[in-house]
Every structure is written in structure tokens, then in C-alpha cells.
Amino acid sequence: MKKQLQLILMLLIMPLGMVLAQQPLQIMGKVTNTEGEPVQGVSISIKGRLNAITATDDAGAYSLQAEKSDVLIFKGIGFKTVERTVSGQTTINVTLESDLTNLDEVVVVGYGTQKKTNLTGAVSTISASQLENRPAVSASTALQGLAPGVTVTSQTGAPGGDQASIRIRGVNSFSSASEPLVIIDGVAGDLNSIDANLIESMSVLKDAASAAIYGSRAANGVILVTTKRAKDVFNLTYKGYTGWQDATFIPEVTDGRTFMRVFNEASINDGGKEIYTQQNFDEFDQLYAENPDNYDWQKAILSGSGFTQNHFASLSTGSGVIRVNPSLSYVKQDGLIKNTNYQRYTFRNNMDINPNDKLNIKVDLSVMNGDRLQIANEGTVWNYLGRMPTNIPIRYGDKWSEGWVKNNPVGFIEDGGNRKVNNIELIGNLSLNYKPVNWLSITGLVAPRYRTRNIHNFSKALMTYYSGGAEAGAAAESTELTESAYRYFYGNYQFHATAAKTFNDHSLSLMVGTSRETYDEKYLMGYRRDYTYDTYEVLNAGADTEKKRNDGTQDQWLLVSAFSRFNYAYKDRYLFEANLRYDGTSRFLGSNRWATFPSFSAGWRVEQEPFMENLRSQINQLKVRASWGILGNQNIGSTYQPFSENLALGGISMGGAISQLVTLNTLANPDLRWEETTATGVGLDATLFDKFSFTFDWYKKHTNGILMTLPISALYGLNEPYQNAAKVENLGWEVGGRYDNQWSDFKFGLGFNFSDVRNKILDMRSRPVGTLLRQQQGYAINSIYGYVSDGYYQSQEEIDNGPTQFGTLKPGDIRFKDIAGAFDVDGNAIPDGKITDADKQIIGNTIPRYTYGVNLDLGYKGFKFSAFLQGVAKVDGYLDSHYVIPAVNSSAIKPWQLDYWTEDNRNASLPRLSVTSTNNTQNSDFWLKSASYLRLKNIHLGYQFPTEWFQNAKIGGIYIYANGQNLFTKTNFYEGYDPEINYNAGAAQNVSLGAGNYYPQVKVYTFGLDIKF
């Protein structure tokens, strides 16, 4: 009986013992560096699980639950990865060795991650630490100068309009957008819709090997953005800065007396008489002495505060099963001119749910609300910044002066109306990742994105007055309001699976997947004019007449894709990767809808060879790469159905009645297809002494099937359609390097990147397009086209003996080269004694040949200093009209424009003064300038207070800093105009080749504070 009781008791206790045996252990410990100092932010995960579960705090301490035989992985930026096995102990302390080159870094690639050492494609990575020192409202501008082969151009410093133009390895097409595809946490999005504080890392996929997995959308490269996620450590962070902005370049102007004197001389040169008498000079002197500010147009225009502020707060915490990372940011910019500003609220929450070791659920939500306020027709204000005649006052008493032809820019700012743009964006991202076994991972994703854009443009007819008080009139015919509303919905649905196995010396990985992307856009517009009450800014307050208008459209597209990637490695020494994507789009018809985009790449890790064993401590990495692939572009044309043409709607009077008329004006082309880019490249990656990293790439890209129009028979009676006809080549190389070292408390880092790209149109069927901005076979996209100047005519005799030019020539006018007329038997041009369009040629290039950046990082104990230089070289800019030509359009005279040709100044920098000359205003290389520049893009000085000062206050750290951006620019471009804006002729924000009517770039001075709890 006793034995039976013992057996029953043992059976009852056994399950309890088994349960207790399976209970996880509470592991605690501390992570330090080789000098015994605690290391903060080291992520700790359990091998085989999907996510890091915790991270070290400010004291280097951590705590987690793990089971016996679990393998803990410790990863920290700048340190070698360490693994420790749980064998029953409850305390595991770890010492991390420095690894400033981060060879074990995991890089985000298309639909997955790879070790940096195993990459065979050209991928540049940018970490959060490289972005955090730059006070960028638009995340796109923070990329500038950080990655070789990536050209980033900030077109304007306008509040809410400072989004940058990004080009990866040149421009592929002149018929479609050349912006790269941006993927945020696996979903296509807008880089400027995300706060830069949320970015954990960015991967720039530059070649076909890395980008082909995105197929039809990857011809211009791909930028993968990974946002920050929470760990099982409580962190509350605040980051904020305030500061102000100044213009980088403003054209200086001379006073009213100089203006009148110059125009008197110009009038006499044109055979007229003096415009301004001595009485005019005397009256000006008197009025100017009474109120000089009334003549200072630039001071009155640039009267905005330029104040800027940015506040960001985030919470990171988790329980082991659920981790959340909510954040809220607020940014506000006041413009350099009054009544202009931008403010944006961004809320984002990244949530991870891990019910068990096999399942990971991500639920991300982002909401952005941005409001931009501008002056109605703001480009007009900037047009007159360096143009307003300085002998005309701003006001006559309390009335606006007539300005220039009834345009008063200061009046426009204060009373000319407004343009309000509101953007609201809601993004959701639900993904499930399931690992039924260690070697298989299955992922499904649903990511809707909804966006609204509402534009309110209220332009008021501003009355101006003469000095006597009489009405001079208004530049605008009437007060008018246009309300525009856009609604966008993007749907993104993905499913992919990855299988990875390692056996003996072989490592295999196969990923297959499919996706469906949808797009729906609706547009609605209403317009009215003739407002009786011009302070009531609603449509119903406008006149209900036949001049009112409305409009509405809807556009949609669908993209369905299948994709796969295969990776193979032998002894981690010989690497191979193949990508294949099959895309179908609604933007083309029939069989043209479908296209296949393959890529292949290989790598050889030379340092893993046995003969390199004795050199591995010096040569940590030496990898040779090669790749080939085809990329596509479906974003061609100006509509979402480029194979068709919109019908023109109108009316016609027949038999005394108005009948509706529907016509087709342009021939449709159902044979339109993808633009395809074939890319080939080789590369080299090296890491030496664990301190110096180096990368080099050479590439060639051919883009075929670029849209252009070709002549058709007049018998069709329709305009010629677009066809896939042109070809473009980009040939280039890029190099980047980084050196990092640490001596005791002193840290030093120096990085650089340099790239060269040569763009060339290979085929346009001998049909060049454009007058000043030119597409011409044999030259780069967006070249500059015009006459070639040959000094000045110095005498009437030279004019009589020279070729026929434009208008009435006089000594001091620009002389153009007579290059072409008829052709001889050898095909050489014969000058024909007259200047015509045949004498024009390509005179400049708006695409920079060279792009470079240099980063310096210094640290000593709590002090941190960084400087960043960025620039471009071998690129041209062009300004004309009143921006550079003196005495044109009655514009203000700039000091450097006083060096004009006279009998006593024959070697002047500018031609003779003239108001009526049509010769000197011709497009020519005389007005061409180098737009190369070197810019101190950012300088940063900060101090991290010792954490032990705040231990009792539960504060994890306090960091204060001062920051300057765009502080210095070295350039030979036109004085008063920013070269960075001018060389990109295809820019938005009223920037066009030859003009200077844009919101200038800005210098930004900020002071900031970061606090962690």
C-alpha cells in the first residue's frame, strides 16, 4: 500500500516537475566594451526567433527570459556580433569588441535582408546616425551627399516645398519621371511623408542585380526605408530644435539714382533721349532722404521671421509578446516672406506581436497632416526680388504704388491673396510572418494608403496708385478663386515565402512571391471670379456667370507581379544571385502589358581563400562583384493610359444651335510598351585593419523604347502620336570610403564619396526637340542649346564685315559665330554670312558630371563634432532676361552689371546698354555659367552630459547641440543666384532654365535638445 501511495504521488508531481523544468530562466547581465565601459542600445535576440526582444539601457544592463540551450545574439553598431548559449546560469555578462566597419551588418534588400558581406549587388546603406545631425523637414534632402552615385538636388528652401530631386546613376528618360522607387517597410510610399527621426536605415539599390526584384518600377533605382521598432525596454525620447533661416543667395541691387542713370544711357545708346531729367533725380533724392525704407524693396519683401521649430517624442516599450513604438512629431517653418509657412503633424505607431517563436505580426499605422501657406502667384514675388526699379517707392502714403506695370510684390505679399495646400495621408501596414520550421519563412502583407490633397488658390486683384493718388490699375483682371481636391488610394497586397538551408559548405536561399498594387485618383475643381467681397474666400461668393468653371476626372491603374530570388554561396566564398520578376500593368494593351525582368550577379570573397589566411587581420574583406540585368519603367507619358488619347470636348454652332463637339486631335498608339533599361556593372568592396572600408563600382545603362513623336502622313489629319523610339546611355563609376578609429576617449571618422556619370542620347531618329532646353542625339538629356559667342563688335567696320545678325547692331553688341550654312562634299558646314538657327549648337549640360561628399566626425568624451561638405562639378547653369542682362525690362541694376561695354571699357564683362536690342538677348553661351559648387552643407557641435549626473532623476541622457546648414558655398555662378537650383532645368516650384523666380535656398541655424528617459 505504501508503494502504491508513493507511485501515485510521483505521478502527480511529475507533470508539475515537467512544467517547472520548462519554465524560462530570468537572465540578467551587463554589456561593456573592451575598456569596461557600458554599451547602450545593444540589441539582444534569441537565435531562431523573428525579432530582437530587448536592448541594453544606459548602464549597459539588460534583462530577458530564455530557456536552457537558447543562444543569445548581441548586436551593436560599431561592434562585432557575439553569441552566448544559456546553460542554466542566470547572469551573462558580455564584452563587445569594436568593429567600426560593421562587416556583420544586416542590410535590407528587396523582400528581405542579407549580410553586407554576402551582397553581390551595388547597395549603399545609410544609418540613422548619419541622418540625425541634419535638421531636415523633408527626408529626401537628408540623403544629399551620403551615397556615391546618388545626386540629390534641393530645388527651393520654401516652407513645405523643400523636397529634393533624387537621381540614381543619371537620368534614363526625357519622357517620364526619373525619380527612384521608394519602399517604406515593404510598401511603396513617399520619402517626404515620413519624419526623418523615424528612419532606422536606408538602403539605396543602384544596379540591376539589387533592384530588378522590383522590375517594372526599378529603372530609376530603389530606396528602401526601414523605420524604428520597439524592444522590451522602456524608453521615452524627446528631440527638439528651434532656429531661424536666411537666404543663401539674394541678388544685390543698386540705388534709384544708379537705376535712372543707367537707363538714360541705355536710351541714348538706342538713339533716344534721356528718360529721367535732373528734376527726377532731385525729387528722388528728397523722397529717399525722407524714408529710405520706402525704396528698399528687398527688405520689405524679405520681412518674414524665418523661424523654424521641430519637436519629436516617441515611446518604446514591450512585454515580450507585444511591443509598441508610438511617436508624434510637429514641425513648423515660417517663411522668409510674410504670410508663408508650413506645419506638419505626424503620428506613427509600429507594433510587433509575437504570440510564439514562430509567428510575428506587425501592425503599423501612420497619419500625417501637413498645411502649407503661400502667397497667391508666389513666383511673381520672387521674380521681382531683384527686378523692381529702385527709383519707385513701395507706397504712396497708405496706398500701394504702381510698382512695375501695376505689379507691386510687397502688396502681393500683404494683400494679394493666398494659396493653401492641405495634405492628409493615412497609411496602414499589416504583415504576418510565420516560420513553421527554421528554414522556411512565409510572409503576407496588406498595406492600404489613403491621401487627400486640397488646394485653395485665392488671387486678389490688387489696386495700385500713382503718386497723385489716382488709380493705376491692377495687374490681375479680377479677384478669383480656384478650389481643387484630389483623392488618392493605393492598395498593396503581397505574399512571399523564403526557404534557406545550409549543408556542408553550401548555403541556399530561395524566395518566391507575388503582389498586387492598385491606384485610384479622383480630381474635382471649381472656379469663380469677380468677387464683390474679396475677404470672403468661398466659391459661392464669386459671380454666378458664364465665366465660372468646374472639372473632374478619375484615373486608375493596376500592377500584378510575380517575383523570385535565388541565392547560393559556397564556403561563404563564392556568391551567386538571380532575380526574376514578371509584371503586368493596365497602362498598356494586349501582350505589351506583360514583361519579364531578370538579373544575375556574382561575387567572390577573396579574403576567404586559404592563400589569404595570413592576411585576414589586415584585409578583413576583399570582394569582387559583377552584375547584369533588365529593369523596366511603366511611368511613361502624361496619363495613366498612355496608349490612348483623350477626346477633346467643345461646342460648335450649326443652324443657329450650339451642339456638343467631341474630337480626337492626336492619333493614339496601342503599341506603346515599357521603357527598358539594361544595366551592367562590376564592383569591388574592401575592408582593411577593421578601420577602413572602400567600395568601387563601374556601370553602363542602356534605356530603350523612350517615348518621342515621329512624323506621320498628313493624310491622317491628326497630330503625331508618341512612340517607343529613343535610346539613352548612362556610363559612370563611383567610389566611396570611410576610415574610423578610436584612441582612448577620442574618436575620429572620415568618409568620402565621389561619382562620375556621362549621359548621352544614342538615338532620337534625328529629330531633336527643344529651343533652349534641348534633347539632341549625341548629347546629354536636358542640354542647353544656343549660339556661340565670339566677343564684342568693337567698331562699325567689324559689323559691316561680319555676318548678318539680329536687329540693329552697334559696337558693343555680342558677336556670334557663323558656323553653318550649306555643306561641302565632305559634309562640313560652310559659313553662309548670316546668323540663323543653323548656327545654334549644344552649349552646355544641366546634368552634373561629378557629384561628391565628404563627412568628418570627431568625438571626445561627451563632445561631438561633425562637418559635411557636398558639391557637384562639370555642370552648367543658364540665366537670361532681366536676371543677368542690364537694362532689360526696366529692371533694377545689380552692382556687377555696371561693368558694361563703352568706348572706354571695351573689355567689359557685359555688352553695351540697350533697352531695344534683340541681338544681345539671344540664347547663347555668353549667358552660360558653370553651376559647379562646393557647399558646407552641415556643421554640428554637441555635448552629451554624463548619465551618472541624472541617475536619481531617472533621466537616461541629455544631449544639447548647435547646428548650421548651407553655411558656405563656393561657386562661380551668377552673383546672387544659387547654383544648386539652376542646373536642374526640369524642376518644379517655378524653376525653369533661364529664370531666377524661385524661393531661394536657405541657411538654417538651429539649437537642439535630446532627452531620454
Side-chain angles (χ1 to χ4, degrees), residues 858-1005:
L858 303 175
Y860 179 72
K861 294 187 176 179
F863 290 96
K864 182 178 180 180
F865 173 83
S866 64
F868 170 45
L869 294 168
Q870 175 267 334
V872 298
K874 207 168 184 180
V875 58
D876 300 304
Y878 190 90
L879 287 178
D880 56 19
S881 187
H882 58 272
Y883 302 106
V884 292
I885 307 175
V888 169
N889 293 337
S890 299
S891 297
I893 304 301
K894 304 166 185 68
W896 55 268
Q897 289 180 320
L898 295 175
D899 185 21
Y900 49 81
W901 188 96
T902 64
E903 291 287 350
D904 299 324
N905 188 26
R906 292 173 173 267
N907 294 319
S909 60
L910 296 172
R912 71 178 178 95
L913 294 175
S914 174
V915 176
T916 62
S917 171
T918 57
N919 182 81
N920 297 335
T921 57
Q922 297 295 314
N923 295 333
S924 75
D925 65 350
F926 189 92
W927 306 112
L928 190 76
K929 285 274 192 179
S930 170
S932 302
Y933 68 86
L934 169 64
R935 173 164 281 162
L936 179 58
K937 196 68 184 179
N938 188 268
I939 189 167
H940 181 98
L941 177 63
Y943 179 70
Q944 178 76 50
F945 290 96
T947 55
E948 55 267 23
W949 289 10
F950 311 105
Q951 286 182 352
N952 294 334
K954 304 299 182 182
I955 296 177
I958 295 180
Y959 181 70
I960 60 172
Y961 63 87
N963 198 297
Q965 190 156 299
N966 296 335
L967 299 185
F968 169 79
T969 304
K970 175 65 175 176
T971 182
N972 292 321
F973 196 61
Y974 282 107
E975 184 179 335
Y977 296 95
D978 197 302
E980 183 175 348
I981 293 175
N982 277 277
Y983 74 72
N984 192 324
Q989 298 296 331
N990 299 313
V991 180
S992 60
L993 191 63
N997 57 330
Y998 48 79
Y999 195 111
Q1001 281 271 29
V1002 290
K1003 300 176 183 179
V1004 186
Y1005 309 88

Side-chain angles (χ1 to χ4, degrees), residues 527-540:
Y527 166 85
R528 286 202 183 182
R529 54 178 291 175
D530 301 324
Y531 278 69
T532 303
Y533 302 102
D534 61 6
T535 58
Y536 194 33
E537 301 180 23
V538 297
L539 285 174
N540 281 347

Side-chain angles (χ1 to χ4, degrees), residues 463-475:
M463 182 57 64
T464 62
Y465 298 85
Y466 295 119
S467 57
E471 290 186 352

